[in-house]
Amino acid sequence: MRTARWAMEVFVTRRIPAAGLRALSEAGGCTVQQWDSNEPVPRAELLAGVAGKQGLLCLLSDRIDKEVLDAAGSGLKVISTMSVGFDHLALHEIKKRGIRVGYTPDVLTDATAELSVALLLATCRRLPESVEEVKNGGWTTWKPLWMCGYGLSDSIVGILGLGRIGQAVARRLKPFGVKKFLYAGSHPKPEIAAEFQAEFVPITRLAEESDFIVVTCALTPETQGICNKDFFCRMKKNSVFINTSRGAVVNQEDLYNALVNGQIAAAGLDVTTPEPLPTDHPLLSLKNCVILPHIGSATYTTRNTMSVLAANNLLAGLKGEPMPSELLL
Ligand SMILES: O=CC(=O)O
């Protein structure tokens, strides 16, 4: 039997890819308690599970707030989230307690950018609607005016948040013949934008001039609800709105009205508020709104890599070593 030089207890809030769990168990010295289910851990189980632990490996669907931190107690040293987003973590409270945080940027950039492009094309070329017409007999003949949508060729694409994923989206869209890229965000990034000759503009101009808008910014107090009535009213009537960041960046009621009133042509959302979106939600009744169940990073390889990175972040934090991807608070 291997004797551990350090003995730590961790709580894992969900069933994760085996590779991630293996990384934890092979490290030795780390006792894992896991909510071994595909469904979210009930709040009471989370509060009980985290009690007395030194490490917590969680997902973006777990709200890690003061209550959880209090339940964990003063021994909690590390929180490792298997996500690039960290809006589910009460960072102020976490920082106050001196807890380190790991996350999983970079490894999901390609998968998420790919999904963003897939969603954009599915939305602007009306793929779900078309598939449905084939199944329901709506496809009676080839019709010149039927199922027309909007193409990327010669278009203006606006990226809200030219971070890692926004850049990867622009890189993938460029070969489709995009005429011009605009981007908006907290500050200009001239070196990065040079690759796409992208122009930094105020968000109002992004809304007014873009044929396609792709939202890839992080959810922060500044970006919460930023895509609102004013934003959608400024957009062109034939423009398409895509969001693969976080649902709360969008005021969904305003988006619904924009889609119903023809203020914009269509929307594709991989993220909503809440998640899951209730099946009777008004947005789901619209043909010009394509909604996916938050699958941006969902490739087998990416999810495996994310789980291993999350495990390695946790282990490094527990040992007091530099993490492969630490969120600096
Ligand atoms: O949305 C996905 C993530 O934050 O990893």
Side-chain angles (χ1 to χ4, degrees):
M1 199 179 108
R2 187 165 19 183
T3 29
R5 280 177 291 111
W6 51 290
M8 297 281 179
E9 289 187 60
V10 307
F11 185 64
V12 179
T13 63
R14 193 80 66 87
R15 186 173 299 157
I16 60 169
L21 217 54
R22 213 177 305 122
L24 286 181
S25 55
E26 281 173 0
C30 171
T31 309
V32 178
Q33 184 184 334
Q34 183 186 23
W35 179 255
D36 188 15
S37 165
N38 285 323
E39 298 308 314
V41 58
R43 189 75 178 171
E45 301 283 349
L46 171 61
L47 296 176
V50 79
K53 301 291 189 295
Q54 287 79 47
L56 173 63
L57 195 156
C58 66
L59 308 184
L60 58 87
S61 46
D62 304 314
R63 188 166 40 84
I64 306 302
D65 55 11
K66 186 171 181 305
E67 188 185 25
V68 175
L69 300 173
D70 286 344
S74 57
L76 187 65
K77 291 166 65 127
V78 194
I79 297 171
S80 172
T81 182
M82 194 182 127
S83 62
V84 64
F86 42 80
D87 47 280
H88 55 300
L89 307 178
L91 293 182
H92 180 68
E93 289 293 331
I94 290 171
K95 185 175 176 178
K96 253 187 5 200
R97 290 162 159 84
I99 298 168
R100 291 171 68 191
V101 174
Y103 70 138
T104 61
D106 303 313
V107 296
L108 48 67
T109 300
D110 286 348
T112 308
E114 187 173 270
L115 189 278
S116 305
V117 173
L119 178 57
L120 184 148
L121 292 171
T123 305
C124 69
R125 296 301 305 273
R126 304 171 65 175
L127 300 193
E129 223 185 314
S130 298
V131 169
E132 194 48 41
E133 291 295 299
V134 174
K135 290 184 182 166
N136 68 19
W139 180 23
T140 52
T141 179
W142 190 90
K143 299 176 237 184
L145 300 179
W146 192 55
M147 282 297 146
C148 294
Y150 298 96
L152 280 158
S153 189
D154 231 19
S155 67
I156 299 179
V157 172
I159 310 267
L160 184 52
L162 194 65
R164 288 174 290 253
I165 295 171
Q167 292 161 45
V169 169
R171 203 165 290 129
R172 281 161 178 73
L173 290 182
K174 203 174 165 184
F176 282 89
V178 171
K179 182 171 69 186
K180 186 167 176 58
F181 285 101
L182 304 174
Y183 72 105
S186 54
H187 57 278
K189 299 178 172 177
E191 279 98 50
I192 285 165
E195 180 185 345
F196 322 104
Q197 290 94 45
E199 184 182 351
F200 182 71
V201 292
I203 189 167
T204 45
R205 224 188 109 194
L206 188 97
E208 285 157 7
E209 292 182 21
S210 302
D211 299 303
F212 298 89
I213 290 180
V214 187
V215 181
T216 52
C217 62
L219 173 62
T220 63
E222 290 73 40
T223 61
Q224 173 128 19
I226 202 170
C227 299
N228 56 15
K229 186 172 177 199
D230 177 68
F231 182 87
F232 294 121
C233 284
R234 288 175 188 273
M235 283 177 66
K236 299 180 191 174
K237 291 213 173 340
N238 59 357
S239 63
V240 174
F241 176 82
I242 304 296
N243 183 14
T244 53
S245 67
R246 284 291 182 269
V249 172
V250 176
N251 180 318
Q252 277 178 186
E253 204 179 318
D254 292 347
L255 173 63
Y256 175 82
N257 290 330
L259 288 166
V260 167
N261 300 333
Q263 268 157 15
I264 67 171
L269 312 174
D270 184 41
V271 286
T272 58
T273 10
E275 292 184 3
L277 197 64
T279 52
D280 61 353
H281 193 281
L283 279 175
L284 288 169
S285 67
L286 303 180
K287 284 192 173 172
N288 58 348
C289 189
V290 178
I291 303 188
L292 301 178
H294 203 150
I295 54 168
S297 65
T299 71
Y300 292 112
T301 306
T302 301
R303 290 283 167 85
N304 276 336
T305 310
M306 286 168 71
S307 73
V308 172
L309 178 54
N312 288 336
N313 281 338
L314 190 70
L315 292 167
L318 290 172
K319 290 182 196 161
E321 293 172 359
M323 287 186 197
S325 286
E326 179 159 5
L327 184 67
L328 298 173
L329 302 178

